[in-house]
Amino acid sequence: MQKPVVHPIAFLVVIFSLINLRAYAQVSDKPAAVELPADAASVPIADGEKQAMQERIRKLENEVAQIRTEKEADELARLVAEADTEAKAPETETKPEERNFLWGALALQKLNPEISMSGDFLGTLIIDKKSRLYAGADDRTGFTLREAALHLQHVLDPFSMFKAAVCFAPEPHPSVGLEEMYMTWFAIIPSFSLTVGRFRQNFGIVNRWHEHDLDYVSYPSALTLTLGEEGITQTGLGIKWFMPPIFAHANELTIELTNAENSELFAGEFFSIPAALAHLKNYYDLSESTYLELGLSGIWGVNNKRGYMRDDGTINDEAWRHTFGGGIDLTLQWTPVQQAKYRSFTWRSEGFLIRKETARDSESVTLGLSESDGDRISWGFYSFINYQISTRWFVGVLGNLALPTIRIDKSIAWDIGPNVTFWQSEFVYLRLEYRHGEKIPLREANGDLTRRTDDRLLLQIDWAAGPHKHEKY
Amino acid sequence: MRRKKIIFTVFLWHVILLIIASGAAADKLKVVVTNSAYASIAEYVGGDKITVSYIVRGNQDPHIVRPKPSLAVDLAKADLFVATGLDLEMWAPSLVDMSNNPDIRSGQKGFVSASAGMDILEQPVTISRAEGDVHIYGNPHIHTSPLNGKTIAENIYTGLKKIDPANSDYYLSNLNRFIQEIDHRTFGVELTKMIGGETLSALARRGKLIDFLKKKQYKNRPLVDFLGGWMKKALPLYGKKVVTYHKNWGYFAGLFGVNVVDYMEPKPGIPPTPGHIASVIETMRNQNIKVMLAANYFDVGKVQQVAKRVGAIPVIVALAPGGEKNMNSFFDQFDIWIDRLVKAFEKAGSDG
């Protein structure tokens, strides 16, 4: 049996090449190729020897691959570690002796309510020839700081919150008044909230709003002549039921039980039993950009004066006299979704009807403030349109018609007022409004009733400091 | 008689089907979110266990939303309400009040603040209205960074886990899938596998990712060669200057290295004045800024007018899903924003 002959030079060449290959693989990522010298190929190699060599090559290749993998893993681990270090935010160390110990209990102002202040400035230019017939703070040419109001609100606990509006009226009759102060339990039971305190009542829509939130200079005369100068704001409680939508996209029912302290409708400070109010809001989404809101209101109370001592020492005890009121409100709002910042259109109308049982021998008749007609019907209606022409500019017009509740004859008051509003920012606006109309008659010194027209130019400047903005909801 | 029976049977079947359908819907948790981007994320995390509705459309200004009663109806039935949690949606508390739903109020288990645990950018040092409609907690447009999407998803997961602990494993698995998908889409699959999504995200949040990847090597190649996803697509934007309308893009610009040089609004929320526009035009000319970026609910005409005057390209996009064609998810918004910006810079042929 002949031994396989391996040329020693060929063997050395192969081994040398493999050593080179391994060394090369350690410094290079490129796949190493085994290259034999040209003369090595010519050296005859036995099959067995060849197989053994191939096996060794494979082993060495695997070894090289493993080394490469380990090297890459090491490299990656190093990169990850470096990335982790780089990603960490630098720690700021304070030396113990540099620490300043403060007692949080002595600085609890973060628990203070949200505090805001609003101001309402009005410039009036009476342009009527009969200006001698104008009287009172708002009825003369000049400037008025109509109102400064302090607004507070705070979440009291996980169940309730409170809101307050304290109004300061400076000249000519300085006063401080509590316009609103109430607390609300958000959900005494799901879908129901309970409010107690003094609040602007849900009779229609704008009666609920503060004057500085309106889209015109003052409350519509349709409202003030029928419901009272400041609308209906009374003390009591109210329950709001956010109903499951039954015949609209949203329904809300409000029931309020309050002191009947509104002097135009009820007995004023001589109220005896509470007044009840109900408001049903029906809301419809007409499209993505347009909605319609239709509301119905009703109010009942008594207006007789009972249980107080007259000057002559007798107890006043008038018979029951009722006041019934009804209201309807309609709002159509268009705000294109993509252009909400620049365009909107509002059409809002409200109508009020009041039936007040009056005494024929009432004090008001004696004073000449009212005709004595038994049941007195009064009503008011206004309509308002407002169009946003750009981010900051709005133009609108308000029209009012009313048969007042407190009156000396049955003449109808009316006015129309176009306006333009410039919103300097969400917190400041300037408004110019022209108003033309016919006011309720005035009794002159000789007892004659004189009808009065009303022509005036109004400049309103409103501002709100703090988180409270001019909000309408 | 027979006819009446048939009618009655059909009616009865309808009633039964209605009850079954309403029962099936009632099995799912109702999630209401403010922003359509949050809706997209909530759908991913909540899967088929929830139904999601949103208030602000993708082409709507989230600052200005009328709190309509019909929106409150939705909230009244909500099991979970997700809001940014900062001072962006100032109209939302009114809606929550209106809804009389005690479970979704701030602090209750049905309320989620999407921004919780997030590094909020542009927090004002001094809070003053002199700075315009300033956001007192910082920039609230958090959904413009995919990395913030991970935190939003984590917060939504926490909310779902609180109200539906029985399905928490399901939500967790969806959350993990979402995070992985965000990492893959942001950094590419290969780099995420190499370095890890968390580390890459941390580097990116600190604005160090691109420099790190350019500086380091792996397998004798710069690490940046392994970058994929949106970050790779957006590499041409890195360091590029733009003018935007509003401070909507702070998180996006920070992540992708876009340099916002000026704004059309002189101060946040204050409409552009002629004087300010003149100053923007001058800045753009001086600094050779060729691209403008604005959400499509702003005055597009004004952006185009300025762009025309300086020869720049206006990129007008929706700010959130649903705000324009093909932007249907949180992921789509980044595809579209990056594509449009890259194309705009290519077209502008300028390094800005």
Side-chain angles (χ1 to χ4, degrees):
Chain A
M1 204 173 154
Q2 199 178 354
K3 272 186 172 180
V5 179
V6 180
H7 198 285
I9 295 170
F11 182 72
L12 281 173
V13 165
V14 170
I15 294 301
F16 183 70
S17 300
L18 285 170
I19 290 165
N20 268 342
L21 170 70
R22 184 171 172 172
Y24 179 68
Q26 283 174 346
V27 294
S28 167
D29 283 332
K30 289 176 187 171
V34 182
E35 284 178 18
L36 296 175
D39 58 337
S42 61
V43 180
I45 301 170
D47 282 353
E49 193 69 19
K50 204 174 176 183
Q51 212 172 347
M53 274 194 289
Q54 279 171 341
E55 186 60 30
R56 289 192 69 184
I57 289 167
R58 253 195 308 277
K59 272 185 186 171
L60 286 168
E61 275 177 347
N62 286 343
E63 235 173 89
V64 167
Q66 197 180 337
I67 288 163
R68 191 187 296 154
T69 309
E70 282 168 12
K71 181 188 154 249
E72 284 171 4
D74 286 348
E75 193 182 3
L76 197 56
R78 184 175 43 78
L79 279 172
V80 171
E82 282 175 6
D84 278 335
T85 312
E86 194 92 345
K88 271 184 197 156
E91 287 176 14
T92 50
E93 279 187 19
T94 311
K95 290 177 189 168
E97 60 273 19
E98 287 173 354
R99 280 183 205 146
N100 191 13
F101 296 105
L102 296 170
W103 193 0
L106 297 177
L108 295 179
Q109 56 268 44
K110 280 192 175 177
L111 288 173
N112 282 349
E114 285 177 17
I115 304 168
S116 311
M117 192 85 198
S118 64
D120 178 36
F121 173 87
L122 189 68
T124 307
L125 175 65
I126 304 288
I127 45 180
D128 195 299
K129 286 175 189 169
K130 294 180 186 172
S131 61
R132 68 179 182 83
L133 294 173
Y134 289 80
D138 296 335
D139 268 356
R140 56 187 170 185
T141 295
F143 301 104
T144 320
L145 184 60
R146 269 203 308 188
E147 189 178 272
L150 182 67
H151 301 270
L152 306 168
Q153 72 173 59
H154 200 56
V155 174
L156 298 168
D157 56 29
F159 319 103
S160 55
M161 65 174 293
F162 101 99
K163 282 189 180 182
V166 184
C167 301
F168 306 90
E171 295 172 348
H173 306 294
S175 65
V176 178
L178 192 62
E179 187 178 9
E180 288 194 290
M181 169 75 164
Y182 59 86
M183 75 171 281
T184 300
W185 285 267
F186 330 114
I188 38 168
I189 48 174
S191 301
F192 286 86
S193 67
L194 172 66
T195 296
V196 295
R198 179 177 168 78
F199 46 86
R200 299 195 64 86
Q201 291 191 254
N202 284 279
F203 194 80
I205 293 189
V206 297
N207 183 72
R208 183 70 196 85
W209 296 353
H210 294 163
E211 200 159 36
H212 66 91
D213 296 331
L214 300 171
D215 294 313
Y216 19 83
V217 170
S218 47
Y219 286 111
S221 57
L223 183 146
T224 57
L225 293 175
T226 49
L227 308 181
E229 198 56 42
E230 294 293 323
I232 310 175
T233 305
Q234 303 182 115
T235 304
L237 53 91
I239 289 178
K240 200 169 271 189
W241 178 28
F242 196 65
M243 303 160 64
I246 305 166
F247 37 81
H249 293 116
N251 294 109
E252 187 181 73
L253 179 66
T254 307
I255 304 286
E256 291 168 356
L257 203 63
T258 56
N259 294 338
E261 58 199 67
N262 176 302
S263 55
E264 276 84 351
L265 299 179
F266 309 118
E269 59 181 305
F270 302 108
F271 67 86
S272 47
I273 61 168
L277 177 148
H279 178 75
L280 177 67
K281 184 196 278 185
N282 307 292
Y283 170 91
Y284 305 87
D285 272 321
L286 301 182
S287 71
E288 190 180 78
S289 308
T290 313
Y291 73 76
L292 178 79
E293 198 176 298
L294 181 66
L296 296 169
S297 309
I299 192 165
W300 166 84
V302 295
N303 66 69
N304 54 304
K305 296 173 182 175
R306 302 180 68 215
Y308 74 95
M309 198 165 291
R310 294 195 185 104
D311 293 341
D312 61 4
T314 57
I315 301 291
N316 188 65
D317 189 14
E318 296 173 1
W320 294 110
R321 293 194 304 270
H322 303 267
T323 303
F324 300 95
I328 185 165
D329 61 80
L330 184 140
T331 304
L332 183 74
Q333 177 72 41
W334 171 76
T335 310
V337 171
Q338 199 168 329
Q339 291 289 298
K341 213 174 165 64
Y342 307 98
R343 291 281 181 278
S344 66
F345 172 79
T346 307
W347 172 46
R348 176 171 294 113
S349 294
E350 288 193 68
F352 314 105
L353 181 66
I354 302 294
R355 177 173 163 262
K356 186 177 178 182
E357 294 174 359
T358 56
R360 288 183 182 279
D361 58 348
S362 71
E363 199 178 351
S364 57
V365 177
T366 316
L367 293 171
L369 295 173
S370 165
E371 83 272 29
S372 98
D373 56 1
D375 288 353
R376 191 187 310 157
I377 303 290
S378 56
W379 52 264
F381 173 80
Y382 81 84
S383 195
F384 169 71
I385 54 171
N386 201 29
Y387 182 65
Q388 183 182 3
I389 51 177
S390 69
T391 323
R392 296 170 161 201
W393 291 92
F394 291 74
V395 290
V397 61
L398 169 72
N400 283 285
L401 208 59
L403 177 63
T405 304
I406 304 290
R407 63 197 186 208
I408 51 178
D409 72 353
K410 286 192 174 176
S411 49
I412 289 167
W414 64 271
D415 61 72
I416 187 158
N419 69 28
V420 56
T421 307
F422 172 71
W423 283 86
Q424 181 178 298
S425 68
E426 282 178 280
F427 300 91
V428 179
Y429 70 78
L430 295 86
R431 176 173 293 139
L432 195 65
E433 185 169 304
Y434 172 73
R435 200 180 292 166
H436 170 74
E438 194 165 320
K439 300 177 83 169
I440 52 172
L442 193 73
R443 191 180 295 277
E444 300 227 47
N446 60 8
D448 293 345
L449 294 181
T450 306
R451 296 191 67 79
R452 298 182 296 166
T453 51
D454 184 13
D455 279 285
R456 63 182 68 202
L457 194 62
L458 301 157
L459 171 68
Q460 183 187 19
I461 301 173
D462 262 57
W463 60 93
H468 183 87
K469 289 190 267 188
H470 300 286
E471 289 166 338
K472 294 188 182 64
Y473 45 84
Chain B
M1 189 65 189
R2 189 183 152 79
R3 199 173 163 187
K4 273 186 182 170
K5 263 187 178 173
I6 291 169
I7 291 170
F8 179 74
T9 311
V10 170
F11 174 74
L12 201 66
W13 268 112
H14 270 88
V15 170
I16 290 167
L17 284 172
L18 266 174
I19 291 168
I20 292 168
S22 61
D27 283 347
K28 294 188 174 188
L29 293 173
K30 182 168 175 55
V31 178
V32 179
V33 305
T34 51
N35 184 316
S36 58
Y38 306 160
S40 174
I41 297 170
E43 276 165 2
Y44 204 113
V45 178
D48 57 8
K49 307 278 182 214
I50 66 168
T51 60
V52 184
S53 59
Y54 58 86
I55 295 171
V56 186
R57 293 166 190 278
N59 58 348
Q60 193 173 5
D61 187 342
H63 303 85
I64 309 167
V65 173
R66 205 168 267 271
K68 302 191 290 186
S70 54
L71 299 172
V73 170
D74 221 21
L75 281 174
K77 293 181 277 187
D79 298 297
L80 194 73
F81 176 46
V82 183
T84 307
L86 304 171
D87 55 346
L88 173 67
E89 301 115 341
M90 297 293 280
W91 40 266
S94 301
L95 279 176
V96 174
D97 285 348
M98 212 188 291
S99 76
N100 286 342
N101 182 346
D103 300 332
I104 57 164
R105 299 193 75 91
S106 171
Q108 303 303 313
K109 65 178 183 178
F111 175 72
V112 169
S113 164
S115 63
M118 215 173 266
D119 288 334
I120 301 300
L121 299 179
E122 297 159 18
Q123 294 184 34
V125 180
T126 310
I127 295 166
S128 165
R129 294 283 180 211
E131 291 307 306
D133 197 2
V134 64
H135 289 292
I136 61 172
Y137 302 108
N139 191 324
H141 302 286
I142 54 172
H143 75 282
T144 58
S145 162
L147 303 185
N148 286 351
K150 295 201 285 186
T151 312
I152 296 166
E154 282 163 0
N155 289 328
I156 291 172
Y157 159 72
T158 305
L160 289 171
K161 191 179 156 186
K162 279 186 194 171
I163 58 167
D164 184 20
N167 285 314
S168 62
D169 288 347
Y170 171 79
Y171 300 132
L172 182 61
S173 130
N174 287 350
L175 170 69
N176 290 334
R177 273 196 309 116
F178 179 81
I179 289 175
Q180 192 183 56
E181 184 156 1
I182 285 283
D183 287 336
H184 287 174
R185 284 176 181 256
T186 308
F187 308 112
V189 177
E190 193 179 8
L191 190 66
T192 304
K193 279 183 181 161
M194 285 164 58
I195 308 285
E198 207 171 312
T199 303
L200 290 170
S201 299
L203 272 174
R205 283 193 181 106
R206 296 204 63 212
K208 292 185 163 187
L209 181 69
I210 300 300
D211 286 346
F212 180 84
L213 296 180
K214 282 182 177 170
K215 200 168 64 187
K216 301 293 173 184
Q217 291 221 331
Y218 180 61
K219 292 184 185 175
N220 289 332
R221 289 161 63 200
L223 209 48
V224 77
D225 286 359
F226 296 88
L227 182 65
W230 291 317
M231 292 295 285
K232 186 181 183 179
K233 269 171 73 180
L235 274 179
L237 307 178
Y238 197 76
K240 291 283 163 53
K241 292 174 183 171
V242 296
V243 164
T244 70
Y245 197 101
H246 177 74
K247 289 189 170 183
N248 292 121
W249 306 99
Y251 297 94
F252 177 83
L255 179 65
F256 296 107
V258 180
N259 184 3
V260 181
V261 173
D262 207 348
Y263 303 94
M264 288 283 284
E265 290 176 333
K267 305 271 184 185
I270 305 293
T273 57
H276 180 71
I277 286 182
S279 129
V280 170
I281 288 171
E282 196 184 328
T283 305
M284 290 181 74
R285 280 185 181 144
N286 290 343
Q287 300 196 33
N288 195 25
I289 296 168
K290 294 289 180 193
V291 174
M292 298 179 79
L293 176 63
N296 61 3
Y297 59 74
F298 285 113
D299 186 347
V300 173
K302 199 152 270 175
V303 178
Q304 286 166 338
Q305 201 181 331
V306 171
K308 196 176 173 185
R309 285 186 64 183
V310 294
I313 295 165
V315 177
I316 312 292
V317 286
L319 191 64
E324 66 173 79
K325 205 180 164 191
N326 298 329
M327 194 189 277
N328 301 315
S329 71
F330 183 65
F331 306 122
D332 291 345
Q333 64 183 27
F334 299 104
D335 287 334
I336 289 175
W337 295 343
I338 293 167
D339 271 356
R340 300 256 180 94
L341 278 171
V342 169
K343 277 178 192 158
F345 275 106
E346 278 171 8
K347 198 173 167 192
S350 155
D351 63 1

